[in-house]
Each structure stands twice: as C-alpha cells, then as structure tokens.
Amino acid sequence: MRSLQLWPAEVREKTGKVIGWLVAVFLFVLSINASFAQDPNNNYCVDPKGAESGGFTLDKVRTCVGTPVGITGGLPAGLVNVGYVKEYSGKGIPTIFELGPSFLYTKPGSYTILQVGSINKNPAVACQTITVLPLDPVKFTAQSCLGRRATITVDASTLGQYDSYLIRWGDGTSEERSRTEMQANPAHTYNIGSPNSPTITVEGVYDRLCSSPQTPQQITLLATATQPTINALTTISDNSIELKYQTSAGVLVELYQKVGGTYVATGQKGTGGGTFTVQTDAKQVQCFQLVPQDACNSQTAKSDEVCSLVLTAQAANKQNNLTWQPYTGTAPRFRFYRLIRNGAPIGPTITRVSLNSYSDADNILCGSQYCYSVQATVEGSAQTVITSAKTCVTGLNGDPPGEIGSMVVSIEDGHPRLITTPPAGIGPTDSYTMVVSRASGASGSFQPVATLDRKSTYTDESANPSAGSYCYQVVYQTSCGLQTPPSKTVCTVYLEAKSANGIDWNAVSPFAPETVDSYTVEVIDSLNGTRQEIRMGANTHYEPNPNDPNLQSQKYRIIALTTGGTISFSNFYTFRREAKILVPDAFTPNADGLNDEFKAFGIYVDKFLMTVYNRWGEVVYSTTSKSEGWDGNSNGQQAPAGQYMYRIEVVDLTGLKTVRTGAVLLIR
C-alpha cells in the first residue's frame, strides 16, 4: 500500500477521517456486543433487561421527508461507546449502528430511534419517537369569476394534511390560510393593472417545519359581466315557451322561473347567447329571469323580468273579440302591443299597457278560420319582443236560427229513437249539425252524445231503455257556429213493476211541445202471442186480474198518445206471477165426505209432484197427479195418526218451478 504521506494533503485528510470513523464503529460494535447478552426478540425500548438508562434529546419531534433530525444533547454522564438505530424494529439489538449526530428519513411515518451505549462498562439504552411528515403537493382547482376574481377549491385528499396553506395569487399577493378557511374556498380580487392570466400556487405548510412543493395553475380573468338580456319570449304551445337570450362572452347564466311569487332555478344554463325551451302551463302567464352564475357566487345584475302573454279569441257575429292580460314584466319602458292575424299585422299599435282588448271586424267571413297572436315590445337593457301562442276561431256572419219545432222520442227495436223538426231559418239544403245531449232521468245532467251532420233523427244505440228513462235535448248549429237555444226536454216512457201486483210507468212526456193526452197498455200473451189494448187515460199503474188463470206471464208495453195522434212507445216488460199452491194443515180420513184426503189445490200448474214423509223421513205417499190426494193409507194399511211432512214441486206453463214444503196433521 502506498504511504499516506505520498497522497495530496486534502485526500490524506478525508481518508484519515473515514478510516477513523470505520475504526470507531468497529470498536463500538465490539464493545456493544461484548457488553450485551441480548434477547433477539425483546423490545429494549419497552424492557431494557437491566440495562442502564441512556438518554438523548432531538432538535424536533416532527420533521418532514428529506429534512434531517438532529441530536442536540441530553446524554447522561459516563455514557460512552454510543450508537443509534434510526429505524428500530423493536426486536433485539441490531448489529449495525449510526453514530449521528443527525438522521435523514425519505419516507413519511412514525419511527423509533434506539440509543445503545455503556455506563461504567454496563450496557445502557434509550429510545425516542420521531414523526416524519409527508410533503405531497396540494391538489386544488383555481376558477375564474366575474369581476376579475378567482377562487380556490382544495381537493379533500390534501385538505386535512397540512397545518396551514400558503396561497400566492400571482399578482405579488400571498396569504396564509388555515384548514377551515381553505374549506370555505378562498377568493381573491385582482386589480386592473394586474396580469390577465395570473399563475396561482398553493403550498401546504407544517408549522415552523417545512412546506410542500408549489403546485401552479394558470387562469384567465373574467371582466365584470354586463346585464344579461332576454331578447324574445315566444309561447309555442299550451305547454311550451321558448326564450332567446344574450349575455357576456364566457359568462354562465341560469334561467329562473317565478313559481308562487318566488323565483326558482329551472336548471337550464348557457353562455354567450342561445335559446331556452321551458315545458310549463303556457295557458297561464309565466315570468322568467336570467341570473349570472360563477364559482364565486358573484352578485351581478340579473336580467329584467320577462313575462308571457295569454290571448283569448271569441267569435261573434261578423267580428272576433280578442282579450289578453296586460303585460306584467319589469322592463322600464313599455313600447306597444301589436296584433297578428293569419301571419300579418292588423289594426293600430296599442301604446297603453293597460289596454288589453281588441275587436276585429275586418271582413269576417262565415266558416273561415282566423288565427291570432299578440306581441308586446318592451325596452330595458335591451329590446324584448313577447309573443303569445296562436289562438284560432271560425268566423260567424249571420243571424242565429229560431227555436226547434216538434220532438218525439220512442223506443223502436230496443233503442230510443229521437225525431225532431228543424227550426225556422234552416232549409233543406242548408248546412247544419244537430247536437244531441242525454241525461239519465229527468233530474240528471245533460251530456253531449252525438253530433249529426244534416240529420233530424237519432237512434241511441248506447242506451238501454229497459234499465231506466232517458231524457234528451237538441241544439241545432249552423255552419257559421250560430246555434239555437237548447230544445225542450223529451224523455222515454219507462215501464217497470214497483210491486208484485202490477206494472208502473213514468209520467215524463216523450213529446215537445205537446204533452201526453192518454196512455194505453198493450198486452202480449207470452204463450200464444195474442195482443190486446187497455185504455188507461192518465193513469200510470195497471194491475192484471189476479184470478185469471191465463195471466200467469204477460208482456206489456205502454203507448203514449197526444191529442194530435202522435205516438211514443215504452220498453217491453214481462210481468210474471208465481204458481199458487194451497194445502190444508190437517185432514180426517173417516169417510164422512169432508176433508177425507190431503190434497193440494192451485192454478198455473203444468207439472206436479207431491211427496209425503213420516217422522223418520220415509216416503209414505207420492203422486204426480194434481187431482189426486193422500187418503191416509200406506202400503195398504192405515197410517197412524200424527204429523207428516210434505214436499210439493210444480212447474208452471212458462217453465218456472215452485217448491213448497210443510207439515200436515193426520187426525183419526
């Protein structure tokens, strides 16, 4: 080996220090290993195993990644052969030590520093904990706001990491903000002379220790916005309104709509200029306003309130009458209303905002369609044109027809058939419609059921005249829309049975303007189809003869007549009587000629079966002849006196079955 004296002085000095340090470490390790009979699994910070207490002081208990922590003193007297483990694992005594006096950490975390030495040739240990803090760049978003303002939003992942934050706004202004202040998204306003595209940086700061790397973001400042404008509002349909707007370049606006007197956001936003379409009840006046939006919630000028117009048109003879609600927006200057008919302006411009009606009598033709809209022009920060939805009417030009002539309603082929005489003023070649309205009964409400072109008769296929009476009114309408007053009411005659003894019908007249003079009951025999008529005068109730055996089942219809001989028929109704069965409750078979047999009597009987049972349910007598009876004998022997049960089943001439059961007393 070359002699050290042959090396340059600087090299000899550094080499000597390194050799000296290596020798010191070697001697230190030898001394430590010689003085410790250690347990490789023991945590000597928790259990020193009888070692003396060393000791040392750090210059800080928190440090940052890349910033050294140093030993400033605090060693006890007599402590020699001192070494350190800067990342003690808690197991035994390592074989590799550092002599200090400072340590550098490259990863964040909590570390234990173990001190090992000897006092009076006895082993000595001590421990200290150091927290190494991360230096992650601060993640944030910088946004431009109206009026040369900017705001900062820090990402949640780095918001709670640092003690405070240093913001440099890029115009020579810097400020330190706490975590709470950063959560509120701090904002800054730039002077006119400051850069239009400043670069903003944010550093995370650990108190009196260190700070994170700067994270820059460049923004472009926005000037103060001019007042946004709604240039046009047009009602497209009953449920749609379109608005055209204009605002400063790059400025975001949101459309608000008045609901119950309070403006609420519609969620529609835009920049520069464009069109908003709102789905709403456009048959009512709707009001709107534009509100500028930015990240700083800047309070800038809103647009003027702009409200829709709702137009109503009504046709009258030789003119159309137009009305609308006066304009209610907040533009400072109302210019005028203008009316549009079939796409072209009509009449003069109306300069009074409160004047809200107009009658168009300019060559109104019968049957022609006229579509109108009204426009209002107002001025605020800009001129705005508000246009209502189109509303259309059919022109009238003539006199209404007279009253309707005679009417009659009758049941034909199972349905009400209405026959009317057209009113005076409507000839056989005129164009007209007949509108028929119907009510269920005289007290019901009338609803239109048919509109017939050039007809004077109507058959109501949807009505069931066997379920109740139907009443009708008629209106005639000319091609110009002129119509007669509603006709007098006519009602079908409804036939029913309100009791078991007879039939009834309502007294409401099926004629107009005449009334019912008399009623006739038409009787149709259900078995042989024969007919007869019974005059009833003004009566509305009829009872068939209860003792007539031929009137078991009859079909009836009422014929209403006027003095002039006009006829109206009711519905058909079948009136049926049950078979009558008469039986005694006792009999005496003693051959005295009086009540010697138990026998059933009745009318309307076609088929017959009588069965008699004793108290044990055994049949003692049975017959299918309605002319025979039980003589009190059973199997050739006299049946004992006492009570017997019977069951009688008959089927009448119409096929209706009747069953009667009971008890009879046999007396001897």
Side-chain angles (χ1 to χ4, degrees):
M1 181 180 290
R2 294 179 60 189
S3 172
L4 292 177
Q5 298 298 325
L6 299 178
W7 293 358
E10 181 180 355
V11 175
R12 290 199 308 272
E13 181 180 359
K14 290 183 179 180
T15 303
K17 289 182 179 179
V18 172
I19 293 173
W21 181 80
L22 291 173
V23 172
V25 171
F26 177 71
L27 294 175
F28 167 74
V29 173
L30 287 177
S31 66
I32 292 300
N33 289 334
S35 60
F36 266 93
Q38 55 149 325
D39 181 353
N41 295 314
N42 181 56
N43 186 336
Y44 280 86
C45 291
V46 178
D47 182 6
K49 293 290 187 181
E52 298 288 344
S53 296
F56 61 99
T57 302
L58 299 176
D59 60 359
K60 57 181 78 71
V61 295
R62 294 197 312 164
T63 189
C64 298
V65 170
T67 301
V69 57
I71 298 173
T72 59
L75 276 64
L79 180 64
V80 296
N81 299 326
V82 180
Y84 298 89
V85 178
K86 71 174 184 179
E87 298 180 27
Y88 180 51
S89 66
K91 290 187 178 181
I93 300 295
T95 58
I96 298 176
F97 298 89
E98 296 185 26
L99 299 180
S102 65
F103 310 110
L104 187 67
Y105 295 90
T106 60
K107 294 182 180 180
S110 179
Y111 297 94
T112 298
I113 301 175
L114 173 66
Q115 179 195 64
V116 180
S118 61
I119 300 176
N120 298 325
K121 299 183 179 180
N122 294 319
V125 295
C127 297
Q128 293 277 7
T129 300
I130 181 72
T131 299
V132 180
L133 303 169
L135 288 177
D136 299 321
V138 178
K139 298 178 183 178
F140 72 96
T141 301
Q143 293 177 290
S144 297
C145 305
L146 298 174
R148 296 179 63 82
R149 299 184 72 208
T151 184
I152 288 175
T153 302
V154 178
D155 189 272
S157 63
T158 54
L159 182 58
Q161 179 173 319
Y162 295 99
D163 298 327
S164 61
Y165 296 82
L166 180 62
I167 306 172
R168 293 183 175 86
W169 293 103
D171 61 351
T173 303
S174 61
E175 53 188 0
E176 191 168 357
R177 296 293 186 96
S178 67
R179 295 179 186 175
T180 302
E181 291 172 326
M182 293 300 286
Q183 287 177 331
N185 301 335
H188 178 68
T189 301
Y190 292 84
N191 296 327
I192 297 299
S194 58
N196 288 328
S197 298
T199 298
I200 302 173
T201 63
V202 178
E203 300 175 37
V205 179
Y206 293 115
D207 190 22
R208 295 185 298 277
L209 291 176
C210 52
S211 60
S212 69
Q214 295 183 5
T215 49
Q217 285 193 33
Q218 189 176 37
I219 62 170
T220 299
L221 299 179
L222 301 176
T224 301
T226 58
Q227 183 179 8
T229 59
I230 298 175
N231 305 106
L233 183 154
T234 304
T235 302
I236 305 300
S237 66
D238 287 348
N239 55 12
S240 180
I241 293 177
E242 181 181 271
L243 302 101
K244 294 183 179 180
Y245 69 94
Q246 189 68 42
T247 185
S248 302
V251 174
L252 179 69
V253 292
E254 183 168 9
L255 181 66
Y256 278 65
Q257 181 177 3
K258 184 179 284 187
V259 179
T262 303
Y263 272 101
V264 297
T266 65
Q268 297 194 58
K269 300 179 181 181
T271 59
T275 301
F276 293 128
T277 301
V278 180
Q279 303 302 313
T280 187
D281 180 10
K283 292 184 289 186
Q284 306 295 325
V285 172
Q286 303 293 342
C287 297
F288 302 90
Q289 197 169 44
L290 291 177
V291 179
Q293 305 286 311
D294 65 11
C296 301
N297 295 318
S298 303
Q299 298 298 315
T300 58
K302 304 173 184 178
S303 74
D304 292 326
E305 177 185 68
V306 177
C307 300
S308 64
L309 291 170
V310 179
L311 176 66
T312 300
Q314 186 172 14
N317 189 24
K318 301 181 182 180
Q319 69 179 33
N320 296 322
N321 298 322
L322 311 176
T323 57
W324 60 93
Q325 288 183 302
Y327 182 70
T328 58
T330 62
R333 290 181 297 281
F334 174 83
R335 294 284 306 281
F336 53 81
Y337 295 119
R338 173 168 288 160
L339 289 160
I340 309 296
R341 184 179 87 174
N342 294 343
I346 60 167
T349 56
I350 302 172
T351 58
R352 288 171 51 193
V353 68
S354 59
L355 188 57
N356 62 323
S357 64
Y358 180 76
S359 293
D360 178 20
D362 182 14
N363 194 27
I364 302 300
L365 301 178
C366 176
S368 296
Q369 187 180 63
Y370 298 89
C371 293
Y372 297 90
S373 61
V374 60
Q375 288 182 344
T377 300
V378 298
E379 286 185 354
S381 56
Q383 181 172 281
T384 303
V385 178
I386 299 95
T387 306
S388 74
K390 290 181 181 179
T391 181
C392 301
V393 293
T394 300
L396 305 178
N397 194 330
D399 297 321
E403 292 187 358
I404 298 172
S406 63
M407 295 175 55
V408 60
V409 62
S410 180
I411 308 301
E412 298 182 11
D413 297 326
H415 297 287
R417 186 169 187 264
L418 182 68
I419 303 174
T420 68
T421 301
I426 294 182
T429 61
D430 290 341
S431 177
Y432 64 90
T433 56
M434 181 177 74
V435 180
V436 181
S437 296
R438 185 183 74 193
S440 296
S443 61
S445 60
F446 283 91
Q447 300 294 330
V449 293
T451 300
L452 307 171
D453 185 33
R454 294 177 56 82
K455 298 289 185 181
S456 295
T457 61
Y458 170 64
T459 299
D460 192 353
E461 300 287 349
S462 65
N464 179 13
S466 296
S469 177
Y470 291 88
C471 296
Y472 297 89
Q473 287 182 344
V474 171
V475 170
Y476 276 83
Q477 182 172 310
T478 68
S479 60
C480 297
L482 301 175
Q483 63 183 31
T484 64
S487 70
K488 294 181 180 179
T489 300
V490 293
C491 302
T492 59
V493 178
Y494 173 54
L495 177 61
E496 60 180 332
K498 295 183 179 180
S499 67
N501 300 320
I503 56 176
D504 305 88
W505 56 96
N506 61 320
V508 181
S509 177
F511 310 109
E514 296 180 276
T515 58
V516 176
D517 178 65
S518 64
Y519 296 102
T520 297
V521 176
E522 183 183 35
V523 186
I524 302 117
D525 191 286
S526 299
L527 299 178
N528 56 34
T530 59
R531 295 172 178 265
Q532 64 171 316
E533 292 184 356
I534 303 171
R535 300 286 181 174
M536 297 300 300
N539 292 323
T540 58
H541 177 76
Y542 171 71
E543 292 187 5
N545 183 357
N547 298 315
D548 187 346
N550 297 316
L551 298 182
Q552 185 175 355
S553 176
Q554 304 283 7
K555 186 163 67 172
Y556 296 88
R557 182 169 66 168
I558 304 301
I559 304 173
L561 300 101
T562 68
T563 55
T566 306
I567 295 175
S568 174
F569 294 100
S570 75
N571 57 299
F572 284 102
Y573 182 81
T574 299
F575 183 79
R576 179 191 297 274
R577 284 201 181 104
E578 291 186 353
K580 292 184 178 180
I581 304 172
L582 303 175
V583 293
D585 55 8
F587 72 106
T588 58
N590 54 10
D592 63 355
L594 298 174
N595 202 22
D596 288 331
E597 291 183 329
F598 173 60
K599 187 176 182 180
F601 301 90
I603 59 175
Y604 316 133
V605 176
D606 184 30
K607 296 180 181 179
F608 178 84
L609 173 63
M610 181 175 74
T611 306
V612 181
Y613 306 88
N614 61 20
R615 68 181 64 187
W616 296 281
E618 298 171 336
V619 176
V620 297
Y621 178 76
S622 180
T623 182
T624 58
S625 174
K626 58 185 177 183
S627 61
E628 296 179 357
W630 183 39
D631 60 2
N633 295 325
S634 177
N635 296 324
Q637 301 291 327
Q638 287 188 345
Q643 193 174 56
Y644 292 81
M645 305 302 295
Y646 65 85
R647 182 180 188 275
I648 301 173
E649 178 182 310
V650 299
V651 178
D652 67 18
L653 297 174
T654 66
L656 181 67
K657 179 191 291 186
T658 302
V659 176
R660 178 168 177 178
T661 60
V664 63
L665 182 64
L666 191 157
I667 302 174
R668 292 202 182 269

